[in-house]
Amino acid sequence: MSTLTTSRTAPAANRVRWPISARLRKTILVTHVASAGAWIGVDIAATVLVAIGWARSGDDRTDVYQALADFSVVPLLLSALVAGVVCLVTGVLLGLGSKWGIVRYWWVAVKLVLNVVACALLLFFLGPISELASGEQPLQDMWFVAFLAISALVLLGFATVLSVFKPWGRVRRK
């Protein structure tokens, strides 16, 4: 009888902290994946715009960067920040409501750190980029936009790989 009882109840390590219905979990998961996809898409668009500016020379480069600053960078980065925060919140909710947990597995913990770092990078660079858009900073100082775009692509790409392969196993508690 005890074998039957233990097989019906999940071990304490596999219990979720916040049991949610399958429909709600799938809704949160879709929101998480969609926000991550939007974040990657916005980052690709910003990277393409910066690359177009670098490919130009002289007045063409200045015109491209001015258009980039005026119409694209700040709205793109604000939308990326919103997507990043949505991705972070839904990731935490998924961690609380699934067997993966928030810091139970290394890949989930690393994804959480990557998300926080990427959002922090966006916050850190919004100020200088806003100065660029307002004309307070010279257009030659676009290196930080390129750095942000490339860094975010690397971080988000790595987070995607972690989501698919789920490496490194469980975090051990001592």
Side-chain angles (χ1 to χ4, degrees), residues 97-118:
S98 72
K99 69 177 183 175
W100 300 112
I102 296 175
V103 289
R104 189 175 295 157
Y105 290 86
W106 281 109
W107 69 272
V108 178
V110 170
K111 276 186 62 176
L112 179 65
V113 169
L114 291 175
N115 193 307
V116 170
V117 167

Side-chain angles (χ1 to χ4, degrees), residues 77-93:
L77 292 182
L78 286 175
S79 59
L81 183 60
V82 169
V85 170
V86 169
C87 193
L88 179 64
V89 169
T90 56
V92 168
L93 291 175

Side-chain angles (χ1 to χ4, degrees), residues 114-134:
L114 291 175
N115 193 307
V116 170
V117 167
C119 286
L121 279 173
L122 281 168
L123 285 174
F124 179 72
F125 283 110
L126 271 175
I129 290 169
S130 297
E131 291 173 9
L132 178 70
S134 68

Side-chain angles (χ1 to χ4, degrees), residues 27-112:
T27 301
I28 294 170
L29 181 60
V30 166
T31 305
H32 182 70
V33 171
S35 65
W39 195 0
I40 291 169
V42 165
D43 189 54
I44 288 171
T47 303
V48 167
L49 290 170
V50 169
I52 289 170
W54 272 348
R56 303 285 184 209
S57 62
D59 290 339
D60 284 347
R61 176 180 278 184
T62 303
D63 292 342
V64 169
Y65 281 158
Q66 190 62 52
L68 180 65
D70 289 342
F71 304 110
S72 299
V73 173
V74 174
L76 276 175
L77 292 182
L78 286 175
S79 59
L81 183 60
V82 169
V85 170
V86 169
C87 193
L88 179 64
V89 169
T90 56
V92 168
L93 291 175
L94 285 170
L96 291 173
S98 72
K99 69 177 183 175
W100 300 112
I102 296 175
V103 289
R104 189 175 295 157
Y105 290 86
W106 281 109
W107 69 272
V108 178
V110 170
K111 276 186 62 176
L112 179 65

Side-chain angles (χ1 to χ4, degrees), residues 6 13 46 51 60 84 139-140 143 150:
T6 57
D60 284 347
L139 291 175
Q140 294 84 358
W143 66 268
I150 292 167

